[in-house]
């Protein structure tokens, strides 16, 4: 490994990297026993709660109360939270196959999660549904698993394996009975007669469903699209770019890169993860970043305690803008374990303070023009440039995007110009709903609730990161419960008037209601 911007401290002896593994061995009998325990706990919590919603209670009314689009970590937890609140007429869909929801088995390429292992979220406060319970059931509580000498127990686990997390999420979903329809994609959202319409493409073809609410839990890119740098000579429609120019979100055959020289652009976690995968496949990697020094401090760690996650949405706009533009500007350093994963290879070069001016696909590789004007040739390039937030990139919402309110309208023009990406974040209501900037489509937008990275400026990272997941899903479900009740208030009034369940029928003090039968109760 060579690095043209090593700091003086790099010569000091570095600590050993703890054991990191993608996944641990499965103990199915242990998981089945834990699932039975968790279901008993849920039953004690009266889960799933009886349906109380009146608007679509009729069996012959096909209108849903809530359609959850996306069944990754956030979507499945939102579905779980709705069932806990007695909202039963829901569908949870995902375009991906089972196990491929979210990034964990697709474009995420880290060995372990960044988050500390003790964080909770998908469990919604049920101890037997926590990751710790899931892991300990299989591998014990001590430093070494009593079932597998090569696997650490909970005390010896450094961080959660990426595939372990995926498998844990699936186990929670199955145990809690959150039904997910895989292979079903949202094509278009519309509205008619006071409800939303959703055109879906699934295994049985295209269908249009009516729903009172839609939760958009479409993941990190669900509020925009992968960010492609605007290089003069690069067009992704260029056939020469296919197989040579990748985004970190793309499916990449790393084995095909063996023996090749690969360039990676970016200094974030995904850039390093992809560099590591290429190195481990036998490629040489040159990684480039504009920054002269890698980000050193993860400021978002200081914004993940309960007070911040619960209280941020109550702040005024000026404070919200100050908090998150600062966090975004500081950027998040790559995990130190991931940097060391790359540094372990002699074929790894990190060039800091060296951005790119152009990328030109060629018949036999890619020409990269560096900031100093020099040109280097590579066999392929991987762009670790993240995801943009711009709802104009979401075709499902095309008829609404011109009307969606954004943060740029709630700060000064100078502030919006200085921070264009935060300015593009949608300006959400307290219930995570999109809002209208011009008054048009306001009713329909109020039924569309964003539960992904796009909610961050308005609500903090409640719809994207593990620390805020349980708080966010609970807040979202309770907000939708409130909305549905208010919409049905007159129906609930009528149900209250019609309620006739005598409490004293088993006593001698029972008195039939006027007009009721006087026959003695049996």
């Amino acid at each position: 490994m060579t690095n043209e911007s090593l700091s003086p401290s790099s010569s000091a002896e570095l600590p050993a990297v703890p054991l990191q593994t993608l996944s641990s061995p499965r103990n199915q009998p242990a998981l089945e026993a834990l699932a039975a325990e968790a279901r008993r706990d849920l039953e004690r919590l009266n889960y799933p709660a009886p349906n109380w919603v009146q608007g679509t209670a009729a069996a012959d009314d096909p209108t849903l109360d809530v359609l959850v689009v996306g069944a990754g970590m956030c979507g499945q937890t939102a579905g779980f939270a709705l069932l806990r609140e007695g909202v039963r007429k829901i569908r949870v869909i995902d375009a991906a196959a089972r196990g491929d929801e979210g990034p964990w088995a697709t474009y995420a390429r880290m060995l372990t999660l960044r988050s500390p292992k003790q964080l909770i979220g998908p469990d919604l406060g049920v101890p037997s549904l926590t990751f710790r319970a899931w892991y300990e059931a299989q591998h014990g509580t001590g430093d070494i698993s009593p079932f597998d000498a090569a696997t650490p127990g909970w005390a010896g686990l450094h961080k959660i394996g990426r595939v372990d997390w995926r498998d844990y999420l699936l186990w929670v979903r199955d145990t809690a009975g959150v039904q997910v329809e895989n292979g079903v994609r949202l094509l278009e959202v519309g509205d008619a007669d006071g409800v939303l319409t959703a055109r879906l493409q699934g295994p049985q073809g295209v269908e249009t469903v009516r729903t009172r609410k839609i939760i958009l839990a479409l993941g990190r890119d669900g509020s925009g699209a992968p960010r492609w740098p605007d290089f003069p000579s690069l067009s992704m429609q260029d056939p020469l770019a296919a197989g040579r120019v990748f985004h970190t979100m793309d499916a990449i055959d790393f084995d095909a890169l063996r023996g090749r020289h690969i360039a990676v652009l970016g200094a974030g976690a995904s850039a390093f993860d992809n560099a590591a995968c290429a190195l481990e496949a036998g490629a040489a990697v040159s990684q480039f970043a504009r920054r002269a020094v890698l980000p050193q401090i993860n400021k978002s760690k200081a914004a993940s305690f309960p007070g911040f996650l619960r209280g941020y949405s109550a702040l005024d706009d000026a404070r919200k803008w100050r908090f998150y533009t600062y966090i975004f500007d500081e950027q998040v350093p790559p995990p130190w374990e991931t940097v060391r994963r790359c540094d372990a290879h002699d074929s790894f070069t990190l060039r800091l303070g060296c951005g790119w001016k152009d990328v030109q696909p060629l018949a036999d590789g890619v020409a990269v023009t560096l900031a100093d004007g020099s040109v280097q040739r590579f066999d392929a390039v991987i762009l670790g440039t993240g995801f943009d937030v711009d709802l104009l990139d979401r075709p499902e919402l095309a008829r609404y995007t011109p009307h969606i309110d954004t943060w740029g309208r709630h700060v000064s023009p100078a502030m919006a110009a200085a921070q264009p990406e935060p300015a593009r974040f949608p300006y959400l209501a307290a219930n995570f709903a999109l809002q209208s900037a011009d008054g048009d489509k306001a009713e329909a937008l109020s039924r569309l609730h964003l539960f992904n990275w796009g909610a961050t400026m308005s609500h903090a990272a409640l719809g994207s990161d593990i620390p805020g997941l349980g708080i966010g899903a609970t807040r979202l479900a309770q907000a939708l419960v409130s909305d549905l009740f208010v919409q049905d208030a007159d129906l609930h009034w009528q149900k209250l008037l019609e309620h006739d369940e005598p409490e004293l029928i088993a006593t001698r003090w029972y008195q039939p209601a006027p007009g009721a039968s006087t026959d003695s109760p049996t």
Side-chain angles (χ1 to χ4, degrees):
M1 183 278 296
T2 61
N3 184 319
E4 298 188 359
S5 302
L6 287 175
S7 65
S9 62
S10 63
S11 60
E13 185 176 349
L14 298 174
V17 179
L19 175 66
Q20 298 183 88
T21 56
L22 279 172
S23 64
S24 58
R26 290 292 154 267
N27 185 330
Q28 289 302 326
L31 289 179
E32 290 169 8
L34 180 62
E37 177 187 345
R39 291 187 180 111
R40 287 192 295 271
D41 288 341
L42 288 170
E43 185 177 3
R44 294 180 183 113
L45 293 170
N46 193 33
Y47 175 87
N51 182 75
W52 55 267
V53 186
Q54 294 297 296
T56 62
D60 59 350
D61 185 350
T63 304
L64 298 171
D65 288 316
V66 184
L67 173 67
V68 183
V69 183
M73 179 177 74
C74 294
Q76 79 165 52
T77 307
F80 181 19
L82 288 169
L83 293 173
R84 287 195 69 171
E85 295 289 338
V87 182
R88 302 281 293 274
K89 206 166 184 180
I90 69 174
R91 286 177 67 179
V92 183
I93 65 171
D94 198 288
R98 176 181 168 87
D100 287 344
E101 306 92 345
W104 314 112
T106 53
Y107 66 86
R109 296 179 173 117
M110 64 284 206
L111 293 177
T112 63
L113 306 191
R114 175 195 294 270
S115 306
K117 64 182 180 181
Q118 68 270 17
L119 289 182
I120 57 175
D123 51 88
L124 293 184
V126 180
S128 53
L129 285 178
T130 60
F131 178 83
R132 180 171 182 170
W134 181 89
Y135 191 87
E136 287 184 345
Q138 300 176 89
H139 306 300
T141 61
D143 289 325
I144 302 297
S145 169
F147 312 111
D148 183 347
T151 303
W154 176 257
L157 179 67
H158 175 55
K159 289 184 177 178
I160 299 170
R162 168 168 55 85
V163 175
D164 269 0
W165 184 253
R166 187 276 308 269
D167 292 351
Y168 160 70
L169 290 174
L170 292 173
W171 177 83
V172 170
R173 175 196 306 179
D174 294 341
T175 302
V178 179
Q179 301 296 316
V180 173
E181 300 173 48
N182 289 101
V184 180
R185 180 182 301 275
L186 174 65
L187 299 178
E188 184 182 19
V189 174
D191 59 278
D193 303 322
V195 298
L196 297 173
T197 59
R199 195 160 64 92
L200 309 179
Q201 172 76 58
Q204 307 306 317
V206 176
E207 63 172 321
T208 298
V209 301
R210 291 164 53 87
T211 180
R212 301 172 75 186
K213 296 280 191 179
I214 292 179
I215 295 174
L216 296 168
L218 293 168
R220 182 67 71 163
D221 63 325
S223 302
R227 183 186 293 112
W228 290 91
D230 187 17
F231 293 121
S233 302
L234 177 62
S235 168
M236 294 315 297
Q237 284 68 51
D238 182 351
L240 292 177
R244 295 183 180 88
V245 180
F246 303 96
H247 190 277
T248 54
M249 188 182 179
D250 290 340
I252 302 175
D253 181 3
F254 287 98
D255 287 337
L257 303 180
R258 184 181 306 277
R260 306 295 182 89
H261 189 187
I262 310 303
V264 175
L265 178 63
S270 293
F272 275 93
D273 289 335
N274 279 260
C277 288
L279 290 162
E280 290 162 359
V285 173
S286 295
Q287 186 168 340
F288 299 80
R290 290 193 307 267
R291 283 176 170 257
V293 177
L294 291 176
Q296 299 292 304
I297 298 173
N298 183 359
K299 292 289 186 177
S300 62
K301 279 187 175 180
S304 61
F305 58 95
F308 188 94
L309 296 172
R310 294 187 186 279
Y312 173 85
S313 63
L315 294 174
D316 57 85
D317 288 349
R319 286 186 171 88
K320 288 181 180 180
W321 183 263
R322 182 175 65 184
F323 268 113
Y324 263 102
T325 55
Y326 173 70
I327 291 172
F328 293 163
D329 282 346
E330 290 296 300
Q331 298 191 344
V332 178
W336 72 270
E337 304 95 332
T338 303
V339 176
R340 293 281 296 279
R341 184 182 171 195
C342 293
D343 281 347
H345 296 266
D346 291 335
S347 55
F348 176 62
T349 300
L350 177 60
R351 298 190 60 182
L352 298 171
C354 188
W356 294 1
K357 295 174 64 176
D358 199 11
V359 172
Q360 183 177 10
L362 306 171
D364 58 350
V366 183
V368 175
T369 304
L370 304 181
D372 61 7
S374 63
V375 178
Q376 292 191 12
R377 296 280 293 270
F378 299 94
D379 295 300
V381 300
I382 301 174
L383 303 174
T385 47
F387 301 93
D388 199 6
V389 173
D390 189 347
L391 288 172
L392 292 173
D393 289 327
R394 302 306 309 186
E396 311 96 321
L397 303 176
R399 71 180 62 192
Y400 302 109
T401 47
H403 311 289
I404 293 174
D405 197 6
T406 60
W407 268 87
R409 298 183 65 256
H410 296 266
V411 297
S412 71
M415 294 167 71
Q419 300 278 357
E421 184 169 334
R424 289 195 295 272
F425 271 71
Y427 187 84
L428 301 182
N431 62 357
F432 293 82
L434 296 169
Q435 300 189 93
S436 176
D438 54 15
D440 199 3
K441 298 295 184 181
E443 171 62 24
L445 289 171
S446 73
R447 297 175 179 269
L448 282 164
H449 303 262
L450 199 64
F451 195 52
N452 57 20
W453 179 243
T456 302
M457 285 295 298
S458 298
H459 288 277
L462 302 187
S464 55
D465 295 345
I466 298 172
L469 177 59
I471 293 172
T474 300
R475 181 186 296 173
L476 173 63
Q478 291 176 349
L480 267 62
V481 161
S482 176
D483 289 351
L484 293 170
F485 172 79
V486 170
Q487 291 171 20
D488 295 344
D490 290 342
L491 295 174
H492 287 290
W493 168 250
Q494 188 60 36
K495 186 178 180 182
L496 176 64
L497 295 178
E498 295 171 355
H499 181 74
D500 183 14
E501 185 179 324
E503 296 286 337
L504 298 180
I505 197 169
T507 75
R508 65 191 181 97
W509 302 103
Y510 170 67
Q511 290 290 329
S517 171
T518 58
D519 294 341
S520 299
T522 57

